Amino acid sequence: DALQALRTASPANAVTLSATAVQAQCAVRSRQLLMEIARLREAPVPTQDWLSDLERVFSAHAAISDELQAAGLYCRRIAACAEFVEALVGLIEARERELARDPANAGVLSVGHLRRSAEQLVEAIESCQPARNAALSNALPVEGMDGSAVLPIEVLSARFDTWGARAAALARELAAVSREEGVHLAG
């Protein structure tokens, strides 16, 4: 029966199955990524390995995003990016507070590292903008809806935009602190 179903499957069904498989695989990898971010957040003192793991988190997210984009899963890509940014903003803010509170116990972590991570978050958001725009442009209102109804993609887009703005503000704040530290070190 299964072999016969595969033989009679149309190419459209094959694409759907492929997109479904990509979505399932990326959902699992996204959850693993969020667990890794939680582990990094709970690490007592950042080490060089911690910084390497953080870089791998960004690389893994980029790979997931690329796969979702290639499969045309724009909404899933937007949601995965928003979840990623939310988790990493929390991590960066927590490490920034720890660094300000006790710089001697920060290990290898510096404001410069945090600034670079925040900048990478902004880059991740910018790379997701085409998916956001495509999803919004493909959204069709349901016939008969009144003008005050909100489409699910609009809610997702607003969440994405909110976290994007928060990551951009964090990057600006860390850039200012980094410049200020540079002035204090030079003076």
Side-chain angles (χ1 to χ4, degrees), residues 22-23 25-27 29-30 33 55-73 76-77 80-81 84 124 127:
V22 168
Q23 182 174 0
Q25 180 185 28
C26 289
R29 289 173 42 214
S30 290
L33 198 56
E55 284 301 315
R56 280 192 287 279
V57 162
F58 280 104
S59 297
H61 171 72
I64 291 167
S65 287
D66 290 346
E67 289 178 35
L68 290 170
Q69 181 76 23
L73 299 169
R76 186 61 222 141
R77 182 176 182 200
C81 188
F84 177 75
S127 76

Side-chain angles (χ1 to χ4, degrees), residues 5-166:
L6 284 175
R7 286 184 185 144
T8 60
S10 70
N13 287 342
V15 171
T16 303
L17 292 175
S18 176
T20 302
V22 168
Q23 182 174 0
Q25 180 185 28
C26 289
V28 169
R29 289 173 42 214
S30 290
R31 288 291 154 228
Q32 291 170 333
L33 198 56
L34 293 175
M35 290 176 11
E36 177 65 9
I37 293 169
R39 183 191 69 78
L40 290 172
R41 188 171 180 163
E42 298 304 318
V45 177
T47 62
Q48 197 61 42
D49 287 339
W50 186 92
L51 291 173
S52 297
D53 289 346
L54 184 60
E55 284 301 315
R56 280 192 287 279
V57 162
F58 280 104
S59 297
H61 171 72
I64 291 167
S65 287
D66 290 346
E67 289 178 35
L68 290 170
Q69 181 76 23
L73 299 169
Y74 304 131
C75 290
R76 186 61 222 141
R77 182 176 182 200
I78 297 164
C81 188
E83 291 169 354
F84 177 75
V85 171
E86 180 179 0
L88 267 174
V89 163
L91 169 70
I92 294 168
E93 289 176 341
R95 290 300 176 174
E96 180 187 21
R97 285 189 301 273
E98 291 170 12
L99 189 59
R101 184 178 55 243
D102 188 8
N105 195 31
V108 298
L109 192 63
S110 69
V111 173
H113 291 115
L114 294 176
R115 186 195 81 230
R116 177 65 190 129
S117 294
E119 289 168 352
Q120 286 178 286
L121 274 181
V122 172
E123 291 168 11
I125 291 160
E126 289 171 353
S127 76
C128 194
Q129 285 296 334
R132 177 194 172 277
N133 296 341
L136 282 171
S137 69
N138 290 332
L140 299 173
V142 177
E143 194 171 316
M145 284 184 10
D146 65 8
S148 64
V150 178
L151 299 173
I153 184 58
E154 293 173 322
V155 173
L156 180 58
S157 180
R159 179 174 172 242
F160 173 78
D161 291 344
T162 300
W163 281 107
R166 187 150 172 212

